[in-house]
Amino acid sequence: MKRPTSTAIIGIGNEFRRDDGVGWAVVSLLRERAAQRPLPSDTRLAQCDGDPGRLITLWEDTGLTVLVDACFPPSAVPGRVHRWCAAPGDVLRAAAPGRHSTHGFGPAEALRLAEALGRAPGHLIVYAVEGADRSLGTGLTPAVACAVPSLARQVEADAEQYGEARARGLGAG
């Protein structure tokens, strides 16, 4: 079986729930920047509402998937970014019910389902941005909006590093 080599960058969220739209904002910025500075070939940019079936379809057959989503912990520092990169044996933990995500069935559960179905990404990186406001409305709060450009650069660097490793025949390593 051929080893997957493509990259998927998926912004998860809802642009009509204020800071929950941060994943979509990062993907939008990456699309704009790609005109000036293209991402590695075979890189797909997608926005998703977090539906597990759609997530699995978007990351299936990828060597690298980068997810960007908002989180809303009890003592949030809006704009603070957390990066989780799976190492062998690592498990993406689900948040406690009703709390940190606006999704009832989140990326962790979708990943477990995908693994059981043999449809998980080859390598997964998750960025979670702490948000302040998930009420109805558009536009990110200032602190979260300020995090978007540097987060987009980090995601670009992940995609470039994977692309370079793939070109050298090293995989996602």
Side-chain angles (χ1 to χ4, degrees):
M1 184 169 148
K2 185 180 172 204
R3 185 175 177 172
T5 59
S6 66
T7 298
I9 299 170
I10 306 169
I12 301 173
N14 183 338
E15 66 181 332
F16 299 107
R17 297 294 299 239
R18 306 277 302 168
D19 289 342
D20 193 43
V22 68
W24 287 39
V26 169
V27 168
S28 291
L29 181 58
L30 289 171
R31 279 191 180 118
E32 290 172 21
R33 291 166 58 135
Q36 306 296 319
R37 183 179 169 171
L39 291 164
S41 63
D42 278 347
T43 299
R44 294 175 287 168
L45 297 171
Q47 295 166 316
C48 183
D49 60 5
D51 174 80
R54 284 188 279 278
L55 278 174
I56 291 169
T57 298
L58 290 168
W59 71 38
E60 186 174 22
D61 296 325
T62 62
L64 171 66
T65 293
V66 180
L67 299 180
V68 181
D69 198 3
C71 65
F72 298 90
S75 300
V77 177
R80 180 167 46 186
V81 176
H82 303 270
R83 183 180 190 270
W84 181 81
C85 183
D90 279 357
V91 176
L92 181 60
R93 290 177 287 142
R99 54 329 108 203
H100 306 296
S101 174
T102 59
H103 321 295
F105 189 82
E109 293 87 358
L111 181 61
R112 273 187 245 142
L113 176 60
E115 287 171 342
L117 297 172
R119 296 174 64 188
H123 187 67
L124 178 67
I125 299 172
V126 178
Y127 287 97
V129 182
E130 293 185 22
D133 185 356
R134 57 183 160 195
S135 65
L136 291 176
T138 58
L140 303 174
T141 58
V144 173
C146 283
V148 170
S150 63
L151 180 51
R153 284 190 296 276
Q154 288 178 294
V155 170
E156 282 176 327
D158 289 330
E160 289 167 3
Q161 182 180 23
Y162 176 76
E164 290 168 4
R166 185 180 71 206
R168 292 190 311 269
L170 302 175

